[in-house]
Amino acid sequence: SVEVSPTTIKIFRLKPALLTSLAATSSRAFVLSARRSPPAVRNIAFQVTSRSMVATDIDGKAIAAAIRQEIKDEVTALKDQNKVPGLAVILVGSRRDSQTYVRMKKKACEECGIASFGFDYDESVTQEELLAKIAELNADPHVHGILVQLPLPAHLDENAVLDAVHLSKDVDGLHPLNTASLCSTSTHVGATKLNWKDLSSVPFHIACTPQGCIELLDRSGVEMEGKNAVVIGRSNLVGMPVAMLLMHRNATVTIVHSRSQNVPDIVKRADIVVAAVGRAEMVKADWLKEGSVVIDVGINSVDDPEAKRGYRLVGDVDYASAKEVVGMITPVPGGVGPMTIAMLLRNTLNGCRRA
């Protein structure tokens, strides 16, 4: 007879000398090693070591909720000093996805006690009108963060609009001077050293999604120093800034992109993988190193007739297969997404602190 537990298989009424090996076949493969018992004992316990693993999910919802509670507590303390963080959100046009994102951001502000100011414009708004409003908000002491919801209509110069936001209120972290500050390593003699283990202490705004990726790693107990990290994608929004943040944490960073050669081989060497390329389930399990940590930034819709809406959301990583190989992974949805808004709130709080 056989008795099975999560860690042990006991086989009764067999002599130790007859048990030299045992193969177990199921949805997972096991390597079993015998622990020999005295001859008088007529059972042997086999310790089970799995060749495959089921990864731990990095719960972005739970981590984001904890950060939002921390922000709420700090906002309450600031209110005792008669200071209230304020976020202004500019929305142009009637895109439903943009309207949804703006509603989510305003609701998050309300829950944390941050004042939110909404400015909605028709798609026909002129560049001059938009720049005039941004100049007004730059000068408003009650506004500590300005967010321009992207994308903008084609007739507007997106770069000019974003650059018009004062860098101290650029809570998206997209201003060229904030980007330049992120790219400064400060390794030369006499340079001010920043504490990259506490992103709240960094004296400029960091892009929200990359910042959220680092927080997920930190709060999941993942050590970055000395690790091989691969970032898939080189966008200004995620790929480049998250690569810089990983480097500031002393990881050895490789960026792969659409012109990189032998991408699976490069990714296979990574202890930490950040996938931010916008291609549904591009990263397969055989690309990934066993026990590695995967942060999946992608959010893509794929057809699914069985889903209520006819589609489902997936990341840039083939989650189902990767989960059998890696040690930790962010699900999609519920991984990186909730962190982006949490970091937006934190940037707004930091702006108020510095004002």
Side-chain angles (χ1 to χ4, degrees), residues 9-252:
I9 297 177
K10 291 183 179 180
I11 302 177
F12 297 91
R13 302 184 187 281
L14 290 175
K15 293 181 179 180
L18 298 177
L19 295 168
T20 57
S21 65
L22 176 65
T25 57
S26 65
S27 59
R28 301 171 64 195
F30 295 99
V31 178
L32 307 178
S33 57
R35 187 173 71 233
R36 298 178 67 88
S37 303
V41 180
R42 304 187 74 181
N43 71 73
I44 300 175
F46 288 85
Q47 195 65 34
V48 179
T49 305
S50 173
R51 278 186 180 155
S52 63
M53 61 181 67
V54 177
T56 300
D57 276 349
I58 298 176
D59 190 343
K61 288 183 180 179
I63 293 173
I67 292 172
R68 284 160 73 155
Q69 183 59 52
E70 293 167 8
I71 292 168
K72 183 177 181 179
D73 294 342
E74 292 186 53
V75 169
T76 300
L78 280 175
K79 287 181 176 179
D80 292 340
Q81 304 169 32
N82 295 318
K83 294 179 74 174
V84 180
L87 174 66
V89 181
I90 295 175
L91 174 65
V92 179
S94 56
R95 283 178 58 121
R96 290 185 180 179
D97 56 348
S98 292
Q99 291 172 335
T100 299
Y101 295 145
V102 166
R103 279 197 302 271
M104 290 168 60
K105 290 164 185 175
K106 289 181 177 178
K107 181 181 178 183
C109 284
E110 182 181 348
E111 290 173 353
C112 290
I114 294 174
S116 66
F117 313 98
F119 302 92
D120 297 351
Y121 293 91
D122 291 335
E123 193 163 338
S124 59
V125 66
T126 66
Q127 182 99 354
E128 291 70 26
E129 286 178 276
L130 213 52
L131 292 177
K133 173 54 68 176
I134 290 172
E136 177 188 321
L137 295 173
N138 282 336
D140 188 339
H142 298 102
V143 174
H144 304 99
I146 301 171
L147 178 123
V148 179
Q149 184 64 46
L150 302 178
L152 294 173
H155 71 280
L156 297 173
D157 185 338
E158 192 171 282
N159 288 333
V161 170
L162 295 177
D163 291 354
V165 176
H166 193 277
L167 74 163
S168 67
K169 299 189 178 187
D170 166 41
V171 287
D172 259 341
L174 300 177
H175 192 284
L177 292 179
N178 283 328
T179 301
S181 294
L182 179 62
C183 293
S184 175
T185 57
S186 300
T187 56
H188 57 281
V189 175
T192 301
K193 306 298 182 185
L194 301 180
N195 180 11
W196 291 101
K197 290 187 176 182
D198 178 11
L199 295 180
S200 290
S201 70
V202 175
F204 54 85
H205 291 306
I206 301 170
C208 299
T209 300
Q211 188 178 170
C213 293
I214 300 301
E215 283 289 342
L216 287 173
L217 292 170
D218 269 333
R219 293 180 184 240
S220 300
V222 178
E223 179 60 57
M224 287 168 262
E225 184 165 344
K227 302 297 185 181
N228 288 323
V230 169
V231 177
I232 306 174
R234 54 179 170 179
S235 72
N236 290 332
L237 292 176
V238 182
M240 296 303 289
V242 81
M244 290 303 305
L245 287 170
L246 286 164
M247 189 191 67
H248 285 308
R249 295 298 295 273
N250 299 316
T252 301

